[in-house]
Amino acid sequence: MMHEYETVVLLKPDVGDEPLNKMAQRIKSIVDTQGGKFLQLSNWGKKKLAYEIEKNQKAIYLHALYLGAPLLPKELERNLGISDDVLRYQTVALNRRVDPASREAKELETLKVIDETREEDIFSPRREESDEGFGGAGDDFDGGFDEENV
Amino acid sequence: MRGEREEKKGKGDKKKSFGRKKVCRFCADKTATIEYKDYNNLKYFITERGKIIPRRISGNCAGHQRVLALAVARARSIALLPFTSPGL
């Protein structure tokens, strides 16, 4: 039975284009040899991490989408764990019992390291940007305490 | 702004309502999805310190808050969101 999975892989920020493409091909070949259906792999580029991982401030994010048997993600993660370039990975099961014919597979493109600087600093989310933010909600919260005192 | 101030009830009433009525964002807008990959939207539901805003403040319903908490947890594990932010 085929299920739909997605895996996000974080690579070390100093890897070049070649190891990046190698990793992409490796992911695809693992999915193929394990009898899965590889759907697509997208490159999110080099992102600033919300916290340091092994002294790295940035990482290259890859996102793979594929169908496969329940043991496929396990085998894929085992391989990712062996690689030295991989900082972290996370697999999420998306849909159960997917018909392979219903999903379109995209060709693997050659990837390039995209230097993407984060537009916003994650540590200080700008509250004023949210038009319907929680600025007013604080009043409600205080109200909650008054309520108890009545 | 959504909702109006509720009328204050009489003296005898123990429960007084303050502020505007909170509505779960995800119930109000059915098209809004909660995705761990979409960390820019999740940021509205965490504090500057990186903690998840409780639903008594954000107004989320129980079901959506659970889904949101899972999404934040996933985003944290791949360093899209902080577990905690240093300093402050």
Side-chain angles (χ1 to χ4, degrees):
Chain A
M1 209 40 162
M2 301 270 257
H3 307 297
E4 192 171 22
Y5 298 98
E6 64 178 355
T7 301
V8 179
V9 183
L10 276 66
L11 298 172
K12 281 184 181 167
D14 47 12
V15 300
D17 288 348
E18 199 196 322
L20 187 71
N21 283 300
K22 248 187 196 163
M23 179 53 66
Q25 273 153 23
R26 202 159 146 206
I27 293 171
K28 187 181 190 309
S29 71
I30 291 164
V31 173
D32 288 341
T33 53
Q34 296 288 315
K37 186 179 180 184
F38 187 83
L39 297 182
Q40 114 179 51
L41 188 128
S42 43
N43 183 7
W44 292 357
K46 203 181 279 185
K47 283 177 174 292
K48 193 168 180 288
L49 297 168
Y51 50 87
E52 263 187 22
I53 301 177
E54 293 170 26
K55 303 285 174 200
N56 291 297
Q57 300 282 356
K58 286 184 175 183
I60 297 166
Y61 281 73
L62 290 181
H63 174 252
L65 198 67
Y66 52 92
L67 304 176
L71 280 174
L72 200 155
K74 209 174 177 180
E75 173 63 14
L76 180 65
E77 291 193 342
R78 188 184 69 81
N79 279 276
L80 292 173
I82 293 167
S83 169
D84 289 333
D85 292 333
V86 176
L87 288 177
R88 200 160 280 196
Y89 48 81
Q90 176 175 265
T91 304
V92 175
L94 294 176
N95 294 302
R96 290 167 159 272
R97 297 195 175 81
V98 175
D99 178 17
S102 67
R103 294 287 192 278
E104 217 174 297
K106 277 190 185 172
E107 281 301 305
L108 192 62
E109 292 164 20
T110 35
L111 305 169
K112 267 188 171 173
V113 177
I114 308 167
D115 251 313
E116 185 198 311
T117 40
R118 187 172 270 173
E119 338 67 59
E120 258 183 274
D121 184 11
I122 189 129
F123 297 117
S124 49
R126 277 189 263 155
R127 291 265 166 238
E128 62 267 31
E129 269 193 17
S130 78
D131 45 343
E132 254 182 284
F134 305 116
D139 304 334
D140 293 12
F141 184 39
D142 292 337
F145 280 124
D146 287 342
E147 205 171 303
E148 281 165 22
N149 295 336
V150 168
Chain B
M1 274 297 179
R2 204 195 293 135
E4 282 166 11
R5 254 172 205 279
E6 286 179 37
E7 271 186 9
K8 282 189 181 173
K9 286 165 191 165
K11 267 185 184 176
D13 282 333
K14 254 203 164 179
K15 277 198 177 175
K16 279 185 181 176
S17 325
F18 287 87
R20 70 177 106 87
K21 194 166 185 276
K22 283 168 283 194
V23 183
C24 172
R25 282 188 172 200
F26 302 104
C27 289
D29 182 6
K30 298 271 186 212
T31 59
T33 50
I34 307 175
E35 263 271 25
Y36 72 95
K37 289 170 283 186
D38 189 9
Y39 60 93
N40 279 318
N41 272 338
L42 292 179
K43 272 198 277 192
Y44 293 124
F45 296 97
I46 62 170
T47 66
E48 280 108 289
R49 273 250 155 178
K51 294 170 126 189
I52 298 172
I53 292 173
R55 70 188 193 86
R56 67 163 186 272
I57 293 172
S58 69
N60 285 344
C61 70
H64 281 124
Q65 182 76 359
R66 266 199 303 277
V67 178
L68 180 83
L70 178 66
V72 171
R74 283 174 174 169
R76 278 173 178 167
S77 78
I78 52 171
L80 292 177
L81 291 178
F83 284 97
T84 176
S85 72
L88 280 180

